[in-house]
Amino acid sequence: KQWYQRRVAITAGVLHELGVVPEHFETRTLFNKDCPGIPQGKLHLWVDIFPWDRNPPPPINIAPRESQKMVLRVIVWNTIDVILSDENFMGERMSDIYLKIHLEGMKKDRQETDIHFRSLTGEGNFNWRMVYEFDYLLAEQKLVTYQRKSIFQLEKEMIKEDFNLHIEVYDYDIFSSDDLLGWTEFSLVAMPPPTKTAKECTLKVYQAPDDERISIIDKKKIKGFWPVYDDSLGEKELTGKVELEIEILTAEEAAEKPAGLGQSEPNENPFLEKPNRPNTSFSWFLNPLIVFKILIWDKYKWYIIGAFLILLLIAFIGLLIYTSPGAITTNLFG
């Protein structure tokens, strides 16, 4: 016990000299004589003692820090080299790609892109904006949420979360649950620097030393490629690359530079065009005529046209043979 008290005194002295904490905080456990040996809570406090003949200094402001209203905007531009998890009836590998993104502790506010159907190369085009409003403690670099820990709790409790971004890439399925193809998570105040091109984007991005990492609070806006991976078997396996643009604004700045979700109005800051997707990107069930055109007409149209002309010729010859006897009899016998 004496060894512990000495360590506490030394630690408190060092922190005080460095200016990290102005005073030493004490924590005392509360007990009740009716429940001997069972803690009834803890009291967090400090006691100031001043000489009787001196005026005490002004009281220290102990009001809780107030969080700041912030807005995070994430634009999903493209995906590259996403693994192809499905196979169509033509034997081609493909994936119906879309993304889900959320902040730590705000999974219920998770947003997702639209779907890039039938990607045959792992490339997905989105131009899709996501907007997250949240409270942030700048001094502690923590995101703040307010939650009830149980249904019996009347008031919501402040929860401090790490300022992390969660990114998930899915393959859309109609008759079964969607397949999670890859994911990643990183701190927005210690971000691994993205690469400028997809070719440079590897899992080594996450091995960046601390002095090379980036804070979105300082940088304000950043754009580039981050890898997603599958580590369900223990080791990380690269399963795709995501091109994002991440920007943080105060609530006031966001009001001055409005931006809508996806490509909806107000579509500005920046303006997002509809993605330029290939003709093969479509939903089979929503576009049956396009299915026929892409899978049958484009590949076999000359065979179809030839077969149609042959059938037309056969029908003409058959009609000619059928009507010829009557025409000949009429001409001969009037």
Side-chain angles (χ1 to χ4, degrees), residues 184-208:
T184 187
E185 171 193 353
F186 51 78
S187 170
L188 289 170
V189 293
M191 301 169 61
T195 61
K196 294 183 179 180
T197 65
K199 186 177 181 180
E200 301 171 305
C201 186
T202 67
L203 292 176
K204 292 182 179 179
V205 164
Y206 299 115
Q207 299 175 7

Side-chain angles (χ1 to χ4, degrees), residues 135-194:
D135 294 328
Y136 187 69
L137 285 172
L138 187 61
E140 300 182 33
Q141 296 185 335
K142 294 287 185 180
L143 183 150
V144 176
T145 61
Y146 297 89
Q147 304 174 16
R148 293 186 180 91
K149 291 188 174 181
S150 69
I151 59 175
F152 304 104
Q153 191 172 348
L154 297 178
E155 296 184 357
K156 292 184 177 181
E157 182 178 343
M158 176 190 286
I159 307 295
K160 298 177 183 179
E161 306 278 6
D162 292 332
F163 194 24
N164 292 352
L165 188 69
H166 295 254
I167 303 167
E168 300 170 334
V169 180
Y170 283 86
D171 172 51
Y172 175 75
D173 289 318
I174 295 177
F175 300 110
S176 62
S177 59
D178 297 346
D179 299 324
L180 180 57
L181 303 179
W183 57 88
T184 187
E185 171 193 353
F186 51 78
S187 170
L188 289 170
V189 293
M191 301 169 61

Side-chain angles (χ1 to χ4, degrees), residues 113-126:
T113 65
D114 65 342
I115 303 170
H116 183 121
F117 287 102
R118 286 180 49 81
S119 173
L120 303 178
T121 63
E123 179 178 351
N125 312 117
F126 298 96

